[in-house]
Amino acid sequence: MTHDQRAETAQGPLSFDLTDRPWLPVQLFDGSQTVLSLREIFARAGSVRRLAGDVPTQDFALVRLLVAILHDALDGPQDLDDWAELWESDEPFAPVPGYLDSHRQRFDLLHPVSPFFQTPGLRTAKGEVFPLDRIVADVPNGTLFFTMRPQGAKRISFAEAACWVVHAQAYDTSGIKTGVVGDERAKAGKAYPQGVAWAGSIGGVLAEGPTLRETLLLNLIAADGPITAVGGKDRPAWRGGPARPGAAADLALRPYGVRDLYTWQSRRLLLHADADGVHGVVLTYGDPLPPQNRQGLEPMSGWRRSQAQEKKHQQALVYMPQEHDPARAAWRGLAALIAPRDHNTAPRGEPPSRLRPGLVDWIARLINERVLPDRMLIRIRTYGVVYGTQQSVVDEITEDAVTLSVVLLSEADRGLGQCAVDAVADAETAVTALGALAAALAQASGSEVEAPKDTARDLGFGALDGPYRAWLAALHPGDDPQQARAQWQQTARRTLARIGAQLVAQAGEAARQGRVIELAKGGQLWLNSASADLRFRTRLNACLPLASPPAPGSEESPGGRPRKVSA
């Protein structure tokens, strides 16, 4: 008996059937949490608010797993009409129980021949078994601070282990790993870095509806949509043979489609368990997947053109996944998520520098074809991991969301979507003015300027965070983009002017007295808090022209812009 998971209990061999045993963590509408089996989660999806894993990225990985099951169980949807029937159906997931019956053996976490998402018989030459910290992402190796598991993950339940197996296949770190028997890439017992698992290389994006039912359907892209599949070869991992050590033989031709991609076996791993739970793991590299130019296959990420990659790989055009910046809230990156056109200043004829996620294109199609009501609200949720030290450790896990009307994604009526993107630009320039005020006040008092400027910017973005999200969620079809933007600029101006006044009041006596400073372009300037405040207000008016109060002798236009009155 090589592994204790082969041990038999009095009732027979160890087994944990994911189709019938609860393991998927979910949040219900009353805020309570529970765990459901695969059968239960599809049967009760309409009464489940959302998945609620131990870390946000676990939710992203699990949703992709559930969507892969749906694609395969439904063998579609093939087109928009198929999808519309599912959306209107009382039982859109009716084929799933029969499908799970057909593949039940492959969903057994502890199956002796085909353990779920694992490699049977995986072992090192010395027969080593390693701590579960290698797959439990809230217990990073050697960094046990700020964790719920100060003693490490010595033993976890089968349900927890199933979630972490799915997460490891999606988000495992890079670095030197254990070399296993049968992997020709291993040398001297070591597997050298091959990059992070697939989902860790992208900027994850999901469309979230009010229930898990809607969430799963919104992310279920029809075969005639913006994402390609290769013939009839697209299938999830459990419909192929159990993974063996080393890379798959047909790697150069894959992924064949989203079923293949959503269940991509980035790693080879094997849990070690006994009747009381899981206590160890063997983990090494599986199927590598370079991220270059996968925009036609991976819909759950935005993409950016990389001229550095074009030069490196001698290719005319290379797109890389658009990762999320943990220092920027999701609403500040709204242009990359929803903008249907390139906002950079690329010369005419040049390819776009950014591509929004294929998933957003799919939602836009549902709106344009009037399958979804344009007053419907969805939440665009983002997920990402920041890896450190040559991608061998997890530095940070990011998650954010913005709620918006689906009409903002429509390509047929771009006005409101453009308004939302322009409002972010308004906020950026206005907060830059606030940062300049903080720097000027520091300069007037003879202090260092960078730290106060950064603090003021953080303060400004923090103050605008809630108002922007509320303003965005309140945009509806029929709203006048000009008036809506004017309303936002008024909110932004009011908010930042208040913060600016506080900064001036707190600047101190030295700033009020001021001092002579040398200008970068030559000459001198007497700078004190009063002149800094005047410059800030002038700049704020320039940044937010629709928020400016009407000049004497003028009246407010419908969009908030001052309009001269005839004598």
Side-chain angles (χ1 to χ4, degrees), residues 83-103:
W83 190 92
E85 286 184 18
L86 293 172
W87 185 254
E88 296 297 332
S89 172
D90 292 332
E91 296 184 0
F93 308 143
V96 172
Y99 175 84
L100 294 177
D101 286 339
S102 300
H103 301 283

Side-chain angles (χ1 to χ4, degrees), residues 9-342:
T9 67
Q11 291 74 37
L14 281 179
S15 173
F16 192 78
D17 182 352
L18 300 176
T19 68
D20 282 334
R21 301 289 296 273
W23 65 284
L24 291 157
V26 299
Q27 183 186 72
L28 305 178
F29 279 97
D30 62 2
S32 64
Q33 296 189 5
T34 187
V35 287
L36 301 174
S37 70
L38 280 171
R39 289 181 197 281
E40 291 171 326
I41 202 166
F42 286 107
R44 297 175 55 183
S47 61
V48 170
R49 173 66 190 90
R50 57 193 294 265
L51 284 158
D54 285 353
V55 293
T57 43
Q58 210 177 70
D59 298 345
F60 184 71
L62 291 173
V63 166
R64 284 163 71 92
L65 172 71
L66 298 178
V67 172
I69 290 174
L70 277 180
H71 274 303
D72 215 39
L74 303 170
D75 193 23
Q78 293 300 323
D79 53 33
L80 203 66
D81 291 339
D82 277 359
W83 190 92
E85 286 184 18
L86 293 172
W87 185 254
E88 296 297 332
S89 172
D90 292 332
E91 296 184 0
F93 308 143
V96 172
Y99 175 84
L100 294 177
D101 286 339
S102 300
H103 301 283
R104 188 169 189 156
Q105 176 178 311
R106 299 304 304 275
F107 286 101
D108 187 339
L109 187 70
L110 305 177
H111 195 278
V113 178
S114 55
F116 175 74
F117 266 31
Q118 298 165 74
T119 300
L122 193 71
R123 63 184 180 88
T124 69
K126 297 180 180 179
E128 300 149 295
V129 177
F130 300 92
L132 292 167
D133 299 1
R134 298 199 174 193
I135 62 169
V136 177
D138 68 351
V139 188
N141 274 328
T143 309
L144 300 183
F145 305 110
F146 309 111
T147 175
M148 298 295 288
R149 305 175 198 265
Q151 302 305 316
K154 294 182 177 178
R155 181 178 288 275
I156 59 178
S157 70
F158 299 133
E160 286 181 279
C163 292
W164 287 121
V165 165
V166 176
H167 189 267
Q169 293 287 10
Y171 281 105
D172 187 43
T173 59
S174 187
I176 296 177
K177 296 187 181 295
T178 306
V180 296
V181 176
D183 186 353
E184 296 178 350
R185 300 170 297 184
K187 296 179 181 177
K190 296 180 180 178
Y192 288 92
Q194 296 178 32
V196 300
W198 173 250
S201 66
I202 65 174
V205 177
L206 282 182
E208 186 180 81
T211 70
L212 183 62
R213 175 191 183 279
E214 278 81 10
T215 296
L216 294 176
L217 288 173
L218 288 170
N219 291 282
L220 194 70
I221 301 175
D224 67 342
I227 300 302
T228 58
V230 180
K233 294 183 178 180
D234 185 23
R235 64 185 183 186
W238 51 84
R239 279 218 288 125
R244 302 300 177 196
D250 59 347
L251 203 56
L253 304 175
R254 297 170 56 203
Y256 294 121
V258 292
R259 302 178 221 188
D260 192 8
L261 188 65
Y262 291 168
T263 59
W264 191 256
Q265 301 292 283
S266 297
R267 297 294 180 262
R268 302 289 184 259
L269 67 93
L270 183 63
L271 298 174
H272 281 248
D274 56 30
D276 295 326
V278 178
H279 57 78
V281 66
V282 177
L283 172 71
T284 191
Y285 286 105
D287 298 332
L289 182 58
Q292 290 84 4
N293 285 336
R294 302 288 183 180
Q295 64 273 15
L297 283 165
E298 175 55 79
M300 295 182 180
S301 177
W303 297 83
R304 59 177 174 81
R305 185 185 178 191
S306 172
Q307 293 179 319
Q309 288 286 321
E310 291 167 3
K311 184 176 181 181
K312 178 179 179 181
H313 296 281
Q314 296 293 300
Q315 294 184 26
L317 184 61
V318 174
Y319 284 100
M320 295 290 288
Q322 179 70 59
E323 300 167 338
H324 304 303
D325 181 352
R328 293 165 63 95
W331 65 269
R332 292 177 58 197
L334 202 64
L337 291 177
I338 74 170
R341 68 167 191 255
D342 187 17

Side-chain angles (χ1 to χ4, degrees), residues 280 372 506:
L372 288 182
Q506 297 166 358

